[in-house]
Amino acid sequence: MAKYSFIYYSITYIGAQIYHDECRRFYWAPRLMNKFLHENGILNTREYDIPRTRYFLEQNLPTPYRLVHSEEEDEFNHRQHYRLSIYLDNDNHVTKLKSASYAQRMAMSTLKEEAPKRTPRLRKLKRVIYGTALVGATYTGWSMYRNRNPAEQMAFDPSKKTLVLLGTGWGSTTMLKNLDTDNYNVVVVSPRNYFLFTPLLPSCTVGTIENRSIMEPVRLLMRHKSREVKFYEAECTDIDAERKELTLVRRANSEDSKGDQEPVKINYDYLVVGVGGTVNTFGTPGVEENACFLKEMGDARKIRRRLMDSIESAAFADVSDAERDRLLHMVVVGGGPTGIEYAGELHDFLQDDLSQWYPELAKKIQITLIEALPNVLPAFDKKLIDYTQSTFKENQITILTRTMVKEVKEKSFIVQNPDGTRSDIPYGLLVWATGIKAQPVVDRIRAQFAQAQTNGRGLLVDEYLRVKGARDIWAVGDCALSGYAPLAQVASQQGKWLARRLNSLATQAAREGKTDADVFSLIEEKSRPFKYSSQGSLAYIGSEKAIADLPFFNRNITAGGVATFWFWKSAYVNELFSLRNSTLVVSDWVKRFFFGRDISRE
């Protein structure tokens, strides 16, 4: 009954508020009545407050008011005659005064004052909501129109210097997005014609997010630049730093392609290397032949196909129990954010979808995560590490720390246990999510400057991201050894910083009439060194839980749980490259919530 009474009074209150919204004088009449009493010397107005309700007693005031003491008269007069209630104590002091629309109009007519108009609060709130919705819809429509209808572009200017960007990863694409093409003739070279939002790549392996939702076409960014930007879908295989010449090879990206084509050579004035890195197998035998990586979109498709292959093969009745257990054993090698997030996504896929469509098999699926270090997520706070391990234990995900993979076979892999012994473990799917190493083109660049480039993991750069020993070459992202961890936010900040510095230097040179200014040298004289600002670390750990390690002034804030999971979602939606990507990702999440993940095999 209490619940229904609450609903009844809530509806009554809302109805009363709507009624009072129509009576604009309602909010001002109590104040005017207060003024009337004070001016007539009837009482001290500081001794009481004037609430706004509908119960009344009439007081013996000058016409048209008089005092009534009895409750019967109070009820009678309240219902039949008057709408002003004033309650007095034994000393004739006002203890309570309440008013409603009729008394307010009476007070207004007595005072002959026009109350200033005031918009009710509910109406203000509605206007704010409608205004915000209108502005949001207008901005969305304008963004969609501009996206589909780019402006005309200027052609290449022979008087401008040519700037070549190698790669379409975080560093190169962020630089392209912030670079002013009025100052340079820009050329982009990459074997893929899109930017990939890698933090959400584990979600694509199980169908939580569709593949193309996190892919942003590079030509879409290029087409919205003021000057034409050329793009070559090719791989840079060699570089001649003395002649400033690049060798490009068109790779076969589909089954219908006829293989590699003839090399193409292009020249540059300035070169920015942002090719990222490739998966590091640490020389482990059999990894490249038998394991699945999680670096590119093709890797996500391969994992999804092999996962469904293992499950469908285990569904046959003539499969032995040992073979079925092998097929349903999913292994993740690497305890970093990528490996943790994939294990969490795989667990959600098992609990939310496979348990519905494969009830007999879902109970037998095992997930194992292997890490060579003493703990998973070594870059996170110790509290978050413990929270992740306890969550995995609840989700029945086995974690093997201090365990090294020595060899990967077609149906099993050999590990070295913490006590030094070795074990042969069968598997159906093995995902290799460990560190990265340098791309082949980076090794060729490093070989030309062997005296300055002494680290085999990438290109050594100075504090202005210039490749040491080279001339007119910068490096950003995972291929640049700048003293920071190979993270997406590091590469993004490097690309933005370098684009802004080049824009500023070119604009200043044009203002001074120096068309042949040496930007490579001026960047040290007229710019501050690059400094990375950490925005924190996020990771999804499954079961709609996430962890966050965020900087706050001089300390870090750690959080984990369902609330952090929603923060993780909002942060990634905000970080996506375009409104198109954000809309697609959110729609994928909504679609998964209502219809589940797609278990069909491509």
Side-chain angles (χ1 to χ4, degrees):
M1 291 300 295
K3 178 176 70 173
Y4 294 109
S5 299
F6 173 76
I7 296 174
Y8 169 77
Y9 287 118
S10 299
I11 295 175
T12 304
Y13 175 77
I14 294 173
Q17 289 295 324
I18 295 174
Y19 170 76
H20 289 150
D21 285 349
E22 302 301 326
C23 304
R24 296 188 179 182
R25 298 180 180 181
F26 168 75
Y27 292 100
W28 291 95
R31 190 179 69 175
L32 297 176
M33 180 60 65
N34 182 18
K35 179 180 178 182
F36 173 80
L37 299 174
H38 182 70
E39 288 178 350
N40 286 272
I42 299 173
L43 47 86
N44 183 2
T45 58
R46 294 182 181 179
E47 296 180 2
Y48 66 91
D49 294 324
I50 306 179
R52 301 163 183 171
T53 57
R54 4 185 349 241
Y55 298 102
F56 307 101
L57 255 174
E58 187 185 3
Q59 179 171 263
N60 188 18
L61 302 176
T63 305
Y65 306 105
R66 62 188 180 83
L67 180 62
V68 177
H69 293 286
S70 67
E71 294 183 359
E72 289 115 12
E73 273 191 307
D74 169 36
E75 280 294 310
F76 174 79
N77 288 323
H78 161 60
R79 294 183 178 181
Q80 301 294 331
H81 299 284
Y82 303 101
R83 294 191 176 242
L84 174 66
S85 298
I86 300 177
Y87 297 89
L88 304 176
D89 58 13
N90 295 331
D91 297 327
N92 242 13
H93 290 159
V94 175
T95 59
K96 187 183 299 184
L97 187 148
K98 299 182 180 180
S99 59
S101 57
Y102 179 76
Q104 292 153 10
R105 288 195 293 270
M106 292 288 292
M108 294 295 236
S109 61
T110 302
L111 295 174
K112 297 181 180 180
E113 286 191 21
E114 183 69 24
K117 294 183 178 180
R118 181 176 179 182
T119 306
R121 295 178 182 177
L122 290 179
R123 191 170 297 175
K124 282 185 177 181
L125 179 60
K126 287 191 295 184
R127 290 178 179 178
V128 170
I129 294 175
Y130 291 156
T132 303
L134 179 61
V135 171
T138 302
Y139 174 76
T140 302
W142 174 76
S143 300
M144 294 171 62
Y145 175 81
R146 187 185 64 171
N147 186 47
R148 296 287 295 172
N149 299 274
E152 294 293 331
Q153 291 181 308
M154 297 181 293
F156 265 35
D157 186 352
S159 64
K160 305 289 184 181
K161 292 188 176 181
T162 300
L163 174 65
V164 177
L165 300 176
L166 290 184
T168 52
W170 280 93
S172 300
T173 307
T174 305
M175 183 174 179
L176 175 63
K177 186 177 183 179
N178 292 273
L179 189 64
D180 186 359
T181 55
D182 289 340
N183 302 319
Y184 305 95
N185 296 321
V186 181
V187 179
V188 181
V189 178
S190 176
R192 67 183 191 192
N193 64 351
Y194 59 87
F195 165 78
L196 180 64
F197 191 80
T198 51
L200 290 178
L201 188 59
S203 299
C204 297
T205 59
V206 294
T208 305
I209 294 176
E210 294 300 326
N211 298 341
R212 294 192 177 275
S213 298
I214 61 172
M215 298 165 63
E216 179 72 6
V218 176
R219 290 189 180 274
L220 189 62
L221 296 174
M222 295 164 46
R223 187 62 183 84
H224 288 82
K225 290 296 181 179
S226 58
R227 188 181 300 279
E228 177 189 5
V229 179
K230 292 184 178 180
F231 175 75
Y232 297 108
E233 190 181 43
E235 182 179 355
C236 180
T237 58
D238 200 5
I239 174 176
D240 189 338
E242 293 184 1
R243 301 173 59 182
K244 292 188 174 182
E245 186 179 74
L246 302 176
T247 302
L248 312 181
V249 175
R250 174 72 167 87
R251 297 298 188 189
N253 291 330
S254 65
E255 297 178 356
D256 298 333
S257 300
K258 298 181 179 180
D260 298 347
Q261 300 178 2
E262 291 295 326
V264 178
K265 295 184 182 294
I266 62 172
N267 295 98
Y268 68 88
D269 295 307
Y270 297 121
L271 176 65
V272 178
V273 183
V275 295
T278 186
V279 179
N280 192 354
T281 63
F282 301 98
T284 306
V287 174
E288 295 186 358
E289 296 81 6
N290 301 308
C292 295
F293 302 131
L294 193 50
K295 183 70 175 174
E296 301 289 342
M297 183 54 70
D299 299 332
R301 296 191 186 100
K302 182 179 179 180
I303 292 173
R304 191 171 181 177
R305 287 195 300 266
R306 187 167 295 186
L307 174 63
M308 296 312 301
D309 283 344
S310 298
I311 295 174
E312 293 293 352
S313 298
F316 281 87
D318 59 346
V319 176
S320 63
D321 292 340
E323 178 66 9
R324 183 175 289 108
D325 292 340
R326 181 192 71 80
L327 291 170
L328 299 180
H329 186 201
M330 313 304 172
V331 180
V332 183
V333 180
T338 302
I340 292 293
E341 290 187 340
Y342 174 69
E345 291 283 356
L346 185 57
H347 168 267
D348 291 352
F349 183 44
L350 168 63
Q351 294 296 321
D352 299 341
D353 300 278
L354 295 183
S355 60
Q356 301 294 328
W357 313 120
Y358 303 88
E360 299 83 5
L361 298 180
K363 301 176 182 178
K364 300 180 180 180
I365 295 179
Q366 298 179 0
I367 304 175
T368 302
L369 187 139
I370 298 177
E371 170 59 46
L373 297 177
N375 295 304
V376 298
L377 299 173
F380 283 73
D381 187 85
K382 183 64 168 58
K383 295 180 181 178
L384 298 180
I385 295 175
D386 296 339
Y387 180 75
T388 301
Q389 292 178 343
S390 64
T391 301
F392 273 29
K393 185 177 181 180
E394 293 175 2
N395 296 339
Q396 297 181 352
I397 300 176
T398 304
I399 299 179
L400 301 179
T401 56
R402 302 179 186 271
T403 304
M404 299 179 62
V405 178
K406 290 299 184 180
E407 182 181 359
V408 179
K409 303 176 184 178
E410 183 179 358
K411 297 183 178 181
S412 65
F413 62 98
I414 299 176
V415 298
Q416 180 176 315
N417 300 311
D419 58 0
T421 60
R422 295 198 174 190
S423 303
D424 194 347
I425 304 175
Y427 72 91
L429 170 68
L430 190 146
V431 177
W432 191 272
T434 58
I436 60 173
K437 65 178 182 180
Q439 296 275 11
V441 65
V442 173
D443 295 333
R444 292 186 177 91
I445 297 174
R446 195 176 64 250
Q448 299 185 41
F449 311 102
Q451 293 183 351
Q453 297 294 326
T454 57
N455 195 319
R457 296 187 296 108
L459 295 174
L460 291 171
V461 297
D462 61 10
E463 54 189 359
Y464 300 96
L465 304 182
R466 298 176 299 186
V467 176
K468 293 183 178 181
R471 179 72 181 173
D472 297 332
I473 302 178
W474 289 271
V476 295
D478 294 349
C479 65
L481 303 179
S482 56
Y484 302 109
L487 302 173
Q489 56 179 303
V490 174
S492 180
Q493 292 185 26
Q494 288 176 339
K496 184 181 294 185
W497 179 89
L498 184 56
R500 291 178 176 177
R501 298 289 78 75
L502 294 182
N503 292 340
S504 176
L505 293 174
T507 302
Q508 185 175 356
R511 190 184 304 116
E512 297 174 356
K514 300 178 181 179
T515 57
D516 57 345
D518 186 5
V519 176
F520 190 79
S521 300
L522 291 175
I523 194 171
E524 182 177 2
E525 299 176 7
K526 300 185 178 182
S527 301
R528 293 182 178 180
F530 168 76
K531 185 177 181 181
Y532 166 62
S533 176
S534 176
Q535 304 301 314
S537 301
L538 298 170
Y540 179 62
I541 60 176
S543 298
E544 295 190 348
K545 296 179 182 179
I547 56 175
D549 194 351
L550 306 175
F552 185 75
F553 292 101
N554 295 326
R555 58 189 294 267
N556 278 19
I557 297 177
T558 59
V562 178
T564 311
F565 165 68
W566 289 102
F567 175 76
W568 173 83
K569 276 192 170 185
S570 61
Y572 279 174
V573 169
N574 183 64
E575 288 295 325
L576 286 165
F577 242 64
S578 66
L579 177 63
R580 167 185 169 274
N581 287 137
S582 300
T583 304
L584 291 175
V585 168
V586 172
S587 64
D588 287 342
W589 282 335
V590 174
K591 181 177 64 176
R592 184 212 63 80
F593 178 80
F594 286 104
F595 303 107
R597 298 172 179 84
D598 186 3
I599 62 172
S600 60
R601 180 174 56 185
E602 297 179 359

